[in-house]
């Protein structure tokens, strides 16, 4: 039931910015966009989330388009340790509470 | 701050056997989730607890899966009897105080059913 579309995989060079796109054209006005990543053999790790405005924290920046139909996660200086599967998720309200519905994500490989 | 703890990290069983997984959420987190992650897929929610009550178990295969959170803290997920298709990573997550807040995940338990 994922409401997002992401590329299956992408490569980026160590030290360069990594821009991860996500389409969520059916997002509703009060639904947040969340990003998680999952490094091999670990549980998913929270990165960032946003509603309308662009957001930045110590890990990444999130750019959401004005119509909210797409967003981009930016890792400003990718390192080898950023190699992971990145999930873009629209948080929805169902069955009495908010839910995260994970898709297959984007496998990001950072190359030296 | 300690993260979500899970045990065991790995488990191998034969089909039709039983298995149980344990989760200790982050202190003070009222909401606890169990997810199943099959190889190559994203995690899928099995059950959500708010304190010791079930909020959502609509995706839990109740004929073989059960879960409890008796005192509103630790939780146990059980499979009885296991099938080959239950081979997956079982992830526990917690949030404070509801699903509207960020979920934090444990390392998971990798189950292999032979």
């Amino acid at each position: 039931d994922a409401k997002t579309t992401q590329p299956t995989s992408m490569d980026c060079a160590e030290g360069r910015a990594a821009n991860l796109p996500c389409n969520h054209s059916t997002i509703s006005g009060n639904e947040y966009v969340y990003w998680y990543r999952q490094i091999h053999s670990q549980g998913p790790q929270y990165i960032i989330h946003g509603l309308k405005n662009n957001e930045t924290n110590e890990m990444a920046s999130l750019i959401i388009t004005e119509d909210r139909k797409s967003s981009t996660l930016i890792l400003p200086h990718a390192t080898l340790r950023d190699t992971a599967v990145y999930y873009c998720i629209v948080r929805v309200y169902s069955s009495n509470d908010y839910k995260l519905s994970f898709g297959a994500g984007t496998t990001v490989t950072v190359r030296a | 701050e300690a993260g979500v703890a899970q045990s065991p990290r790995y488990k191998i069983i034969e089909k039709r056997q039983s298995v149980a997984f344990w989760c200790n959420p982050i202190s003070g987190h009222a909401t606890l989730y169990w997810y199943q992650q099959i190889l190559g897929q994203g995690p899928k929610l099995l059950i959500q607890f708010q304190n010791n009550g079930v909020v959502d178990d609509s995706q839990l295969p109740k004929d073989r899966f059960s879960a409890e959170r008796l005192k509103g803290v630790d939780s146990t997920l059980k499979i009885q009897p296991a099938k080959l298709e239950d081979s997956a990573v079982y992830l526990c997550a917690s949030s404070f105080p509801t699903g509207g807040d960020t979920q934090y995940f444990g390392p998971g338990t990798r189950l292999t059913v032979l």
Side-chain angles (χ1 to χ4, degrees):
Chain A
D1 294 39
K3 299 178 64 171
T4 63
T5 304
Q6 298 178 253
T8 302
S9 63
M10 61 183 293
D11 287 1
C12 65
E14 187 178 24
R16 304 293 294 270
N19 297 303
L20 283 63
C22 179
N23 288 322
H24 31 77
S25 58
T26 61
I27 194 169
S28 298
N30 60 350
E31 291 177 335
Y32 280 75
V33 177
Y34 275 72
W35 283 83
Y36 279 75
R37 73 179 183 183
Q38 189 170 23
I39 295 169
H40 183 63
S41 295
Q42 297 183 22
Q45 176 190 23
Y46 167 77
I47 301 173
I48 199 167
H49 72 282
L51 182 63
K52 296 180 182 178
N53 300 321
N54 298 336
E55 301 287 345
T56 295
N57 63 20
E58 65 279 4
M59 289 183 68
S61 295
L62 175 60
I63 309 297
I64 302 174
T65 58
E66 192 169 343
D67 64 7
R68 302 211 324 122
K69 292 185 177 182
S70 66
S71 60
T72 300
L73 180 75
I74 301 173
L75 307 178
H77 305 287
T79 71
L80 299 179
R81 288 177 295 180
D82 292 322
T83 292
V85 178
Y86 286 76
Y87 297 100
C88 171
I89 303 160
V90 172
R91 191 192 73 181
V92 300
Y93 192 88
S94 73
S95 300
N96 306 316
D97 207 343
Y98 292 99
K99 300 291 190 297
L100 299 179
S101 180
F102 287 80
T106 297
T107 299
V108 174
T109 304
V110 180
R111 303 194 185 277
Chain B
E1 175 182 270
V4 176
Q6 291 188 247
S7 68
R9 289 298 312 277
Y10 305 92
K11 189 74 176 178
I12 300 174
I13 62 172
E14 306 244 333
K15 60 183 179 183
R16 291 187 289 272
Q17 285 187 323
S18 302
V19 65
F21 314 125
W22 173 82
C23 172
N24 181 242
I26 293 172
S27 178
H29 280 197
T31 306
L32 184 147
Y33 314 79
W34 284 101
Y35 289 82
Q36 180 193 59
Q37 185 173 25
I38 293 171
L39 186 64
Q41 299 179 18
K44 184 186 82 170
L45 180 68
L46 292 175
I47 188 168
Q48 177 184 351
F49 291 93
Q50 175 81 8
N51 295 309
N52 60 350
V54 175
V55 173
D56 182 6
D57 63 357
S58 58
Q59 300 301 308
L60 188 73
K62 299 180 186 65
D63 58 334
R64 297 183 302 105
F65 287 64
S66 65
E68 60 183 14
R69 194 184 183 199
L70 293 176
K71 296 183 179 179
V73 181
D74 294 5
S75 177
T76 303
L77 176 70
K78 297 179 181 178
I79 307 175
Q80 180 179 15
K83 293 186 175 181
L84 297 177
E85 58 262 36
D86 298 332
S87 293
V89 175
Y90 291 84
L91 294 158
C92 180
S94 68
S95 69
F96 174 84
T98 71
D101 292 280
T102 300
Q103 295 183 28
Y104 296 91
F105 285 79
T109 297
R110 181 176 298 277
L111 174 67
T112 302
V113 182
L114 303 176

